[in-house]
C-alpha cells in the first residue's frame, strides 16, 4: 500500500485529535508563557496584561549574567565529561554480543528513568561524611578521616554527569552499532593499533553524531534543576533553578517567563548552530 | 591486553553507574532511622512505610495513577499521528511531528512553566487531570518515536497484498498493521510510563502545591532531612523500571528499539 495524499475530512480525521492536543496543550501554553513574559507584575503574586520589557531588562544585571555564565559553563563541563566517558563505553558495548548489549541497555534505561530527586539523594549519600565513599577510603587506609564532599561543585558535576551519561550513550548507540566493522578491520590490517584505529577511523566517521550528542547533553544539563540545589551551594544554582524560584517562591511569573524565553532562545541557537556545523562537516 | 583494558573500562563505568543504587539499597534496609552505610541490621520497615504511612501511600497512588493515564494519553495522541504520517503523503502534518518532539527537546523547566502559566490563567490549576495532560504532552515524544520506527519497519507489500485481496483501510489496519505495530505501542507506553513515574518538575509546577506525587514527596521530605523511606522509594522505582524494560526485552527487540539495525547477532 503506497502512501497517498489525504482527501476529504474523513481521511484527515486521524490527525485532528493529535493536532488539536498539541496545539491546545503545547503551542497555547508556550504562547501564554511568552505573553506573560511581557506582562507587568502586581504585588501579591499576580500579573496584569501589558507590554513591558522590564522583565527582560532585569535580566541584564551582573547577578543574572553570572548565573547565566555559570549555567553555560556547568553545562559545557557536564557535556564534555559525559561524552568523554560515554564514547569509548558505547563503542565497547556496541562491539559486544547481543545479549551483553541488552543487559547494558536495560541498566542504562533504568538509570535514565531515575528521577533527579533520587539521583541527587543517592549522590548526596555517596558523598556524605557518614555514609559516603570516603569511609571506604578510610577503611582502605587511603584517608585519615571520612570527609563530606557535598555540597560542592564536584558533587554537582558528578551528579549531572551521572544523569547525562545514559542519555549520551543512548544517542551514540545507534551510530556506533551500525558502524561498519570492516572499517576498523581494514585499519587494523594496515597496521593501526586498536587505539589508533579508534581515533583515526571510528571517531572521524561519527563526528556528526558526536557533535549532536554533545549538544544534546549540553541542553540536557542546561535544564537540570534539582541536582544543583541538592548537591551544590547557592553559588552553584543554574538558570533553571532561578526560573523555578522566581515562579514558585518569589511569585514573579513575568520575570520567570522572561528567563524561560531567554533559555529557549539559547537552546534553539545552539541546536541550529550544531545542525549548521553538522551540515558543513558532512559536505 | 586490549581485551583486559576494555573489560576494565566497562567495569569502572559499571561501578560508577551502580554505586548510587548500591548505596541507596543498603540504606533502605537499614534498621535504624539514619543513613548509615554499610547498613546496620536488616529491616523491611522502610518499604512497609511506603505502603502503610497514609502520606507516602497517597503519593504512591497519585504517581501510579498519573503514569498509567498520561502514558495512555500519550499513546492515543501519537498512534494516529504516526499512522497518518506513514499512510499519507502529508508534508504539513510533519509540523505536528515536530511539535510532538519539541517538548522533550527543550529544557523541561520551559514546558513546566508553560503549563503553570496555562493552568493558572485558565483557572484549572491543581487538578490531577491537568498533570495527566501535561505529562502526556511532555512525553508524547517517546511513543511517537517508537511508533514512527515501528511503522517504518512494516513491509508495505504486506498491506498492499491485503488491499489487493479487497481489504479496506480499516481492515488492513486491524488485521495487518496493528499486530505488527503492537510491540512498539507497548514499548512507547512503557517508556512514557516509567519516565512519568519519575518526573518531578512538570508535575511539581502543574499540581505541586495541591497534590504530591512520589518524586515531589521525596523532595518535600528532603527539607526535614533524609529518611530511609526515601531510599526505599528509590529502590522501588529502580526495581519497577528494570522490570518494565526487562519485560520489553522479553517480548520485543530492545537493541532494535534503541536504534540497532537488525535483530540478528
Amino acid at each position: 500500500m503506497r502512501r497517498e495524499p489525504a482527501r476529504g475530512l474523513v481521511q484527515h480525521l486521524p490527525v485532528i485529535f493529535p493536532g488539536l492536543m498539541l496545539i491546545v496543550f503545547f503551542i497555547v501554553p508556550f504562547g501564554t508563557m511568552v505573553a506573560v513574559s511581557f506582562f507587568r507584575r502586581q504585588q501579591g503574586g499576580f500579573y496584569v496584561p501589558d507590554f513591558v520589557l522590564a522583565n527582560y531588562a532585569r535580566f541584564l544585571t551582573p547577578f543574572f549574567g553570572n548565573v547565566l555564565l555559570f549555567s553555560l559553563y556547568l553545562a559545557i563541563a557536564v557535556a564534555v565529561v559525559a561524552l568523554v566517558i560515554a564514547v569509548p563505553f558505547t563503542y565497547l558495548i556496541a562491539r559486544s554480543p547481543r545479549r551483553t548489549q541488552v543487559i547494558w541497555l536495560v541498566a542504562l534505561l533504568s538509570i535514565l528513568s531515575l528521577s533527579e530527586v533520587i539521583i541527587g539523594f543517592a549522590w548526596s549519600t555517596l558523598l556524605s561524611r557518614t555514609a559516603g565513599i570516603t569511609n571506604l577510603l578510610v577503611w582502605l587506609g587511603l584517608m585519615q578521616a571520612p570527609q563530606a564532599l557535598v555540597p560542592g561543585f564536584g558533587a554537582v558535576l558528578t551528579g549531572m554527569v551521572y544523569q547525562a551519561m545514559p542519555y549520551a550513550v543512548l544517542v551514540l548507540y545507534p551510530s556506533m552499532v551500525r558502524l561498519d566493522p570492516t572499517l576498523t578491520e581494514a585499519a587494523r590490517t594496515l597496521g593501526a593499533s586498536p587505539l589508533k584505529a579508534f581515533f583515526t577511523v571510528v571517531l572521524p566517521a561519527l563526528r556528526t553524531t558526536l557533535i549532536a550528542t554533545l549538544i544534546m547533553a549540553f541542553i540536557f544539563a542546561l535544564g537540570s534543576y534539582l541536582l544543583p540545589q541538592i548537591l551544590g551551594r547557592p553559588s552553584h544554582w543554574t538558570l533553571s533553578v532561578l526560573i523555578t524560584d522566581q515562579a514558585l517562591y518569589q511569585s514573579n511569573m513575568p520575570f520567570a517567563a522572561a528567563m524561560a524565553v531567554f533559555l529557549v532562545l539559547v537552546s534553539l541557537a545552539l541546536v541550529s548552530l550544531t545542525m549548521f556545523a553538522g551540515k558543513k562537516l558532512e559536505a | 591486553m586490549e581485551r583486559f583494558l576494555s573489560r576494565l573500562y566497562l567495569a569502572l563505568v559499571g561501578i560508577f553507574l551502580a554505586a548510587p543504587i548500591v548505596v541507596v539499597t543498603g540504606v533502605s534496609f537499614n534498621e535504624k532511622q539514619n543513613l548509615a552505610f554499610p547498613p546496620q541490621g536488616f529491616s523491611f520497615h522502610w518499604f512497609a512505610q511506603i505502603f502503610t504511612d497514609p502520606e507516602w501511600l497517597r503519593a504512591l497512588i497519585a504517581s501510579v495513577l498519573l503514569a498509567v493515564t498520561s502514558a495512555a494519553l500519550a499513546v492515543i495522541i501519537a498512534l494516529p499521528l504516526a499512522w497518518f504520517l506513514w499512510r499519507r503523503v502529508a508534508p504539513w502534518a510533519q509540523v505536528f511531528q515536530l511539535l510532538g518532539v519539541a517538548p522533550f527537546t527543550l529544557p523541561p523547566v520551559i514546558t513546566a512553566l508553560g503549563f503553570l502559566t496555562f493552568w493558572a490563567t485558565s483557572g484549572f490549576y491543581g487538578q490531577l487531570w491537568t498533570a495527566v495532560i501535561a505529562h502526556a504532552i511532555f512525553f508524547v515524544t517517546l511513543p511517537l518515536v517508537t511508533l514512527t520506527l515501528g511503522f517504518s519497519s512494516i513491509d508495505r507489500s504486506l498491506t498492499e497484498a491485503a488491499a489487493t485481496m479487497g481489504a479496506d483501510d480499516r481492515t488492513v489496519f486491524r488485521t495487518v498493521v496493528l499486530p505488527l505495530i503492537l510491540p512498539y505501542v507497548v514499548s512507547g507506553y512503557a517508556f512514557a510510563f516509567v519516565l512519568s513515574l519519575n518526573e518531578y518538575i512538570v508535575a511539581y509546577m502543574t499540581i505541586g502545591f495541591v497534590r504530591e506525587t512520589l518524586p515531589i514527596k521525596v523532595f518535600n521530605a528532603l527539607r526535614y532531612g533524609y529518611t530511609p523511606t526515601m531510599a526505599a522509594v528509590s529502590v522501588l522505582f529502580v526495581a519497577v523500571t528494570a522490570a518494565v524494560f526487562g519485560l520489553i526485552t522479553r517480548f520485543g527487540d530492545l537493541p532494535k528499539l534503541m536504534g540497532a539495525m537488525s535483530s540478528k547477532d
Side-chain angles (χ1 to χ4, degrees):
Chain A
M1 198 181 283
R2 241 164 297 154
R3 296 175 70 202
E4 296 153 8
R7 274 187 210 90
L9 182 67
V10 176
Q11 294 195 353
H12 279 107
L13 273 180
V15 176
I16 291 177
F17 177 68
L20 270 180
M21 287 300 280
L22 287 167
I23 290 170
V24 174
F25 295 115
F26 182 64
I27 295 285
V28 174
F30 194 82
T32 315
M33 187 186 76
V34 175
V36 167
S37 76
F38 294 105
F39 285 4
R40 195 153 38 80
R41 185 194 180 191
Q42 244 179 4
Q43 284 309 317
F46 288 95
Y47 41 86
V48 282
D50 201 344
F51 187 83
V52 291
L53 293 171
N55 305 309
Y56 288 92
R58 187 171 163 202
F59 198 74
L60 300 172
T61 57
F63 173 72
F64 288 104
N66 282 336
V67 172
L68 178 66
L69 279 183
F70 176 76
S71 303
L72 294 175
Y73 164 67
L74 180 65
I76 290 170
V78 169
V80 169
V81 176
L83 201 70
V84 167
I85 300 174
V87 168
F89 178 70
T90 317
Y91 180 72
L92 292 175
I93 293 182
R95 287 278 158 281
S96 51
R98 196 75 163 190
R99 185 168 280 274
T100 320
Q101 288 185 27
V102 167
I103 294 170
W104 277 114
L105 286 177
V106 170
L108 285 166
L109 286 167
S110 306
I111 290 164
L112 180 78
S113 59
L114 281 178
S115 130
E116 261 192 274
V117 186
I118 306 265
I119 293 177
F121 163 66
W123 277 107
S124 64
T125 308
L126 259 172
L127 300 174
S128 72
R129 192 174 56 80
T130 47
I133 40 173
T134 52
N135 289 288
L136 198 66
L137 298 177
V138 172
W139 185 75
L140 288 170
L142 294 170
M143 227 174 176
Q144 290 290 319
Q147 215 183 334
L149 302 172
V150 74
F153 181 74
V156 177
L157 191 67
T158 309
M160 286 175 70
V161 167
Y162 183 82
Q163 196 190 18
M165 234 278 285
Y167 269 98
V169 173
L170 293 178
V171 176
L172 289 168
Y173 176 75
S175 327
M176 288 279 192
V177 86
R178 290 178 187 196
L179 191 71
D180 192 350
T182 54
L183 278 178
T184 39
E185 271 162 35
R188 294 297 306 278
T189 324
L190 292 170
S193 70
L195 269 184
K196 187 159 188 192
F198 180 72
F199 279 108
T200 55
V201 178
V202 176
L203 291 190
L206 294 176
R207 55 180 185 259
T208 332
T209 316
L210 293 180
I211 294 178
T213 314
L214 196 68
I215 289 296
M216 194 265 338
F218 174 82
I219 290 180
F220 182 76
L222 206 57
S224 181
Y225 140 82
L226 277 174
L227 294 178
Q229 281 180 86
I230 301 177
L231 298 171
R233 297 194 174 85
S235 62
H236 301 129
W237 286 5
T238 57
L239 201 55
S240 291
V241 182
L242 287 194
I243 292 174
T244 324
D245 184 54
Q246 287 292 335
L248 295 177
Y249 305 111
Q250 315 292 327
S251 295
N252 194 345
M253 282 297 280
F255 186 41
M259 285 199 279
V261 170
F262 186 77
L263 193 59
V264 173
L265 292 178
V266 173
S267 306
L268 286 183
L270 282 160
V271 172
S272 24
L273 199 71
T274 331
M275 285 179 165
F276 182 69
K279 283 227 174 78
K280 255 203 160 158
L281 275 174
E282 264 174 17
Chain B
M1 185 63 189
E2 181 204 336
R3 199 185 195 113
F4 171 76
L5 279 179
S6 47
R7 290 239 164 117
L8 181 73
Y9 188 75
L10 282 177
L12 284 177
V13 177
I15 291 172
F16 172 64
L17 293 174
I21 296 170
V22 171
V23 171
V24 168
T25 310
V27 171
S28 74
F29 288 113
N30 209 20
E31 220 174 322
K32 297 199 194 90
Q33 169 123 25
N34 60 23
L35 295 183
F37 187 83
Q40 303 159 337
F42 183 86
S43 153
F44 279 108
H45 179 71
W46 310 112
F47 285 90
Q49 192 168 54
I50 307 173
F51 300 96
T52 51
D53 184 297
E55 275 191 32
W56 283 101
L57 188 65
R58 211 178 302 134
L60 177 70
I61 292 171
S63 273
V64 172
L65 212 61
L66 174 60
V68 167
T69 46
S70 68
L73 184 56
V75 169
I76 293 170
I77 296 172
L79 183 59
L81 185 59
W83 177 79
F84 185 83
L85 289 166
W86 171 78
R87 178 71 182 83
R88 305 282 173 201
V89 183
W92 55 269
Q94 275 167 1
V95 174
F96 290 125
Q97 192 175 29
L98 208 66
L99 276 182
V101 180
F104 204 64
T105 5
L106 291 171
V109 70
I110 310 291
T111 311
L113 198 67
F115 275 113
L116 177 60
T117 53
F118 180 67
W119 295 125
T121 312
S122 58
F124 292 115
Y125 183 84
Q127 314 270 347
L128 190 61
W129 61 267
T130 61
V132 171
I133 291 178
H135 266 191
I137 297 292
F138 187 49
F139 292 123
V140 74
T141 313
L142 300 156
L144 198 58
V145 167
T146 61
L147 285 168
T148 306
L149 187 72
F151 279 115
S152 71
S153 69
I154 293 178
D155 186 353
R156 277 181 198 270
S157 60
L158 284 178
T159 55
E160 212 150 321
T164 327
M165 307 292 272
D168 60 6
D169 233 27
R170 193 175 299 178
T171 317
V172 172
F173 183 80
R174 197 164 41 82
T175 57
V176 183
V177 176
L178 199 59
L180 288 172
I181 210 76
L182 208 57
Y184 298 92
V185 173
V186 172
S187 60
Y189 181 88
F191 278 108
F193 172 82
V194 161
L195 288 180
S196 164
L197 201 60
N198 291 294
E199 201 280 331
Y200 172 78
I201 182 131
V202 173
Y204 189 56
M205 287 222 189
T206 313
I207 50 168
F209 280 116
V210 185
R211 281 161 179 274
E212 283 181 324
T213 61
L214 269 186
I216 297 175
K217 170 86 184 138
V218 171
F219 189 65
N220 285 345
L222 271 180
R223 254 175 258 153
Y224 310 106
Y226 294 99
T227 71
T229 315
M230 291 173 193
V233 170
S234 320
V235 172
L236 194 71
F237 274 25
V238 175
V240 168
T241 310
V244 169
F245 288 122
L247 281 176
I248 294 185
T249 322
R250 180 74 184 72
F251 296 107
D253 186 348
L254 190 66
K256 192 175 173 193
L257 272 175
M258 303 315 297
M261 220 145 25
S262 71
S263 53
K264 273 169 258 137
D265 243 331

